[in-house]
């Protein structure tokens, strides 16, 4: 269970029960550059001051003793899938349960990858659908990545208004699944997105190779969960990464963001592109840093079916090295949750019938803090860079988000580096029935999450409200 830290507080409130101001005293304030002991004053949902000592503050102020705690920008998870319908199942987390779990894990904003809409729909269609999903349910701030299902002249012309009017400055292409794009469509999309100052994100897997291998395995009667990983080997992912990098080069050096990187070979292609001065960035996820393909030998292997799949154990250290040397830029989750006892059981006799995805939006921050910062692999500032600063910079939210500076949104997380927690699903706040990180030990835990100056989670208890999250109109991509 979570140890309940007793905060020394004084609080005066308005008549509606909200606090007008908050003073966080003597925490270790961390941004992407440095850490220092300081006070943080929050007024009207914004950071009003950060100083060694703050002695002047409004009369109605809640005072929080943060001595011994890290005070950081709240996490930004730029890869979630809430409310997504994958055809054979609909994810069990919506924008209420998903953002509730995110908040309890120290995350104060998500950028969701919208699911596919009806065949032939325009870009605005799914944006309208997803805004409706989130507007009265999200408990923290949110935005969306545009989703491109097909390319024609109308779709290309629509991209500018998505960026300039709607504030959607990133779009996702798929090289596999039902609405996969061929190379011509990818090149056209990259070229136009570059022109309208948008960032192209991509799910990179070689669909033809996967389809061939999957069909061969099924024809041979190899239907157990472990064959899911064999049907999508790392070379399928790495080849698609290399192909996207080359197409981006042809599209006048279009900026490119690789989602959920799972292997070292793909990372090598990213490094090579950067050596050639291409604007390419990479994201990985906790499951690829902490789990491996041995999970497919377990009795509950269905829990771990996702794409790309879990990789051989030696790939994990290659990704950690990418985090350490700066080759990987962000850590997100690809949170896409389905219940094990019901929805995942579709695949018990055929891995290809199992909905793909893992829960994880609540575990990202504590797992990376424990395995990264507390293990000595990275500094607290590098942790902030991966979980908040770079997501904000790349996706058009900085300096409003991901920033410990006067005028920025007061979206913060307080980490206690001394708390030792064993992850169990009964501690979590999502809507599924398991966690892939069951029984993992964490040293360090987020004990308070603050969104726009209001406490939304404290000591493992959710304290936010549905509908308090705001849609964030993001700025055009800038190199």
């Amino acid at each position: 269970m979570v140890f309940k830290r007793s905060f020394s507080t004084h609080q005066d409130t308005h008549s509606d029960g909200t606090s007008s101001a908050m003073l966080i005293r003597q925490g270790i304030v961390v941004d992407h550059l440095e850490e220092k002991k300081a006070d943080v004053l929050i007024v009207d949902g914004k950071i009003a001051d950060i100083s060694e000592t703050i002695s002047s503050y409004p009369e109605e102020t809640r005072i929080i003793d943060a001595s011994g705690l890290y005070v950081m920008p709240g996490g930004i998870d730029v890869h979630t899938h809430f409310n997504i319908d994958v055809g054979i199942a609909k994810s069990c987390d919506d924008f209420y349960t998903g953002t509730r779990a995110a908040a309890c894990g120290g995350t104060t904003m998500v950028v969701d990858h919208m699911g596919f809409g009806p065949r032939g729909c325009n870009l605005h269609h799914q944006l309208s659908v997803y805004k409706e999903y989130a507007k009265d349910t999200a408990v923290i701030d949110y935005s969306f990545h545009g989703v491109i299902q097909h390319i024609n002249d109308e779709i290309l012309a629509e991209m500018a208004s998505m960026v300039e009017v709607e504030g959607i400055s990133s779009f996702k292409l798929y090289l596999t699944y039902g609405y996969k794009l061929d190379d011509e469509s990818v090149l056209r999309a990259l070229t136009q997105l570059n022109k309208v100052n948008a960032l192209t994100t991509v799910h990179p897997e070689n669909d033809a190779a996967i389809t061939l291998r999957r069909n061969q395995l099924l024809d041979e009667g190899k239907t157990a969960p472990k064959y899911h990983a064999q049907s999508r080997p790392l070379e399928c992912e790495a080849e698609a990464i290399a192909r996207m990098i080359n197409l981006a080069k042809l599209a006048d050096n279009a900026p490119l963001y690789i989602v959920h990187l799972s292997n070292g070979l793909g990372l090598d292609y990213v490094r090579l592109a950067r050596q050639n001065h291409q604007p390419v960035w990479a994201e990985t996820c906790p499951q690829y840093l902490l789990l491996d393909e041995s999970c497919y030998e377990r009795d509950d292997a269905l829990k771990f079916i996702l794409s790309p799949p879990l990789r051989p154990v030696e790939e994990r250290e290659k990704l950690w090295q990418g985090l350490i040397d700066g080759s990987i830029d962000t850590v997100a989750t690809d949170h896409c949750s389905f219940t094990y006892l019901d929805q995942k059981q579709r695949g018990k006799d055929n891995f290809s019938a199992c909905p793909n995805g893992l829960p994880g939006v609540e575990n990202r921050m504590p797992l990376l803090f424990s395995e990264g910062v507390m293990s000595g692999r990275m500094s607290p500032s590098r942790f902030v860079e991966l979980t908040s600063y770079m997501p904000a910079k790349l996706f058009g939210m900085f300096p409003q988000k991901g920033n410990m500076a006067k005028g920025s949104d007061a979206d913060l997380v307080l980490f206690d580096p001394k708390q030792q927690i064993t992850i169990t699903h009964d501690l979590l706040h999502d809507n599924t029935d398991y966690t892939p990180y069951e029984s993992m030990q964490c040293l360090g835990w987020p004990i308070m999450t603050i969104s726009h100056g209001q406490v939304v989670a404290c000591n493992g208890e959710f304290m936010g409200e549905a509908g308090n999250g705001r849609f964030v109109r993001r700025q055009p991509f800038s190199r």
Side-chain angles (χ1 to χ4, degrees), residues 1 3 17-19 70 88 91 120 129-130 166 248 263-264 277 291 309 350 376 378 383 401 403 405 428 460:
M1 63 182 295
F3 170 74
T18 62
S19 176
Y70 287 104
I88 59 174
S91 64
V129 168
Y130 269 71
E166 303 292 350
N263 70 87
H277 307 292
L291 305 175
N350 180 346
M378 65 180 64
F383 171 84
K401 304 288 188 184
N403 194 23
L428 305 180

Side-chain angles (χ1 to χ4, degrees), residues 175-192:
L175 302 189
T176 189
Y177 302 137
Y179 287 104
K180 63 182 180 293
L181 300 185
D182 61 23
D183 287 352
E184 178 188 349
S185 294
V186 168
L187 185 54
R188 294 181 73 191
L190 282 164
T191 301
Q192 182 65 8

Side-chain angles (χ1 to χ4, degrees), residues 114 123-134 144:
M114 300 186 292
L123 298 177
H124 283 78
H125 180 279
Q126 284 303 86
L127 179 61
S128 176
V129 168
Y130 269 71
K131 279 188 171 182
E132 192 66 25
Y133 284 156
F144 310 105

Side-chain angles (χ1 to χ4, degrees), residues 98 203 298:
H203 177 124
R298 293 170 42 157

Side-chain angles (χ1 to χ4, degrees), residues 187-426:
L187 185 54
R188 294 181 73 191
L190 282 164
T191 301
Q192 182 65 8
L193 290 172
N194 192 14
K195 289 179 181 178
V196 300
N197 298 314
L199 178 60
T200 300
T201 81
V202 63
H203 177 124
E205 289 185 290
N206 185 307
D207 183 77
I210 290 169
T211 299
L212 177 63
R213 291 178 67 91
R214 180 176 63 240
N215 291 341
Q216 288 174 337
L217 289 165
L218 295 177
D219 288 346
E220 294 168 5
K222 296 177 178 178
T223 61
K226 67 180 180 181
Y227 295 110
H228 168 72
Q230 294 184 27
S231 73
R232 311 175 90 98
L234 64 85
E235 290 81 5
C236 290
E237 180 187 2
E239 182 280 330
I241 289 171
R243 179 157 37 102
M244 282 298 304
I245 287 170
N246 286 323
L247 290 172
K249 181 73 172 179
L250 293 174
D252 195 24
N253 247 9
L256 178 65
Y257 180 92
I258 307 297
V259 306
H260 50 46
L261 178 66
S262 73
N263 70 87
L265 180 58
L267 179 57
D268 286 342
Y269 289 133
V270 171
R271 288 186 174 118
L272 180 60
R274 289 179 167 179
Q275 290 172 16
N276 292 329
H277 307 292
Q278 272 191 257
V280 179
W281 296 270
E283 158 199 296
T284 194
C285 309
Q287 55 265 33
Y288 304 120
L289 296 167
L290 299 172
L291 305 175
D292 62 74
E293 66 179 5
S294 66
C295 292
Y296 297 122
E297 301 294 338
R298 293 170 42 157
D299 292 340
D300 59 352
L302 286 171
K303 292 177 178 178
F304 303 94
I305 287 186
L306 79 163
S307 297
L310 302 178
R311 299 303 189 190
V313 65
E314 56 267 22
E315 299 302 315
R316 298 191 329 199
E317 193 53 42
K318 296 174 185 177
L319 296 176
W320 276 111
Q321 185 56 46
L323 293 179
I324 293 165
D325 67 22
S327 302
I328 295 176
D329 303 280
T330 66
V331 176
T333 61
D334 194 11
H335 179 102
C336 189
S337 56
F338 302 96
T339 58
Y340 171 64
L341 293 177
D342 181 17
Q343 293 171 304
K344 288 278 190 179
Q345 294 304 314
R346 292 179 56 97
K348 64 184 177 63
D349 298 318
N350 180 346
F351 69 83
S352 68
C354 184
N356 278 221
L358 301 182
V361 73
E362 190 167 352
N363 300 131
R364 173 185 71 127
M365 297 282 281
L367 284 170
L368 189 64
F369 187 86
S370 178
E371 296 298 319
V373 177
M374 299 308 294
S375 73
R377 284 186 170 113
M378 65 180 64
S379 68
S381 288
R382 177 62 174 151
F383 171 84
V384 168
E385 187 174 25
L386 289 164
T387 60
S388 186
Y389 169 76
M390 280 301 292
K393 286 283 286 185
L394 288 170
F395 293 98
M397 297 172 280
F398 190 85
Q400 177 186 359
K401 304 288 188 184
N403 194 23
M404 292 294 295
K406 184 175 180 178
S408 295
D409 286 354
D411 293 353
L412 309 175
V413 59
L414 277 58
F415 259 89
D416 185 347
K418 295 183 179 179
Q419 278 213 33
Q420 298 186 47
I421 304 295
T422 299
I423 293 176
T424 57
H425 188 257
D426 61 358

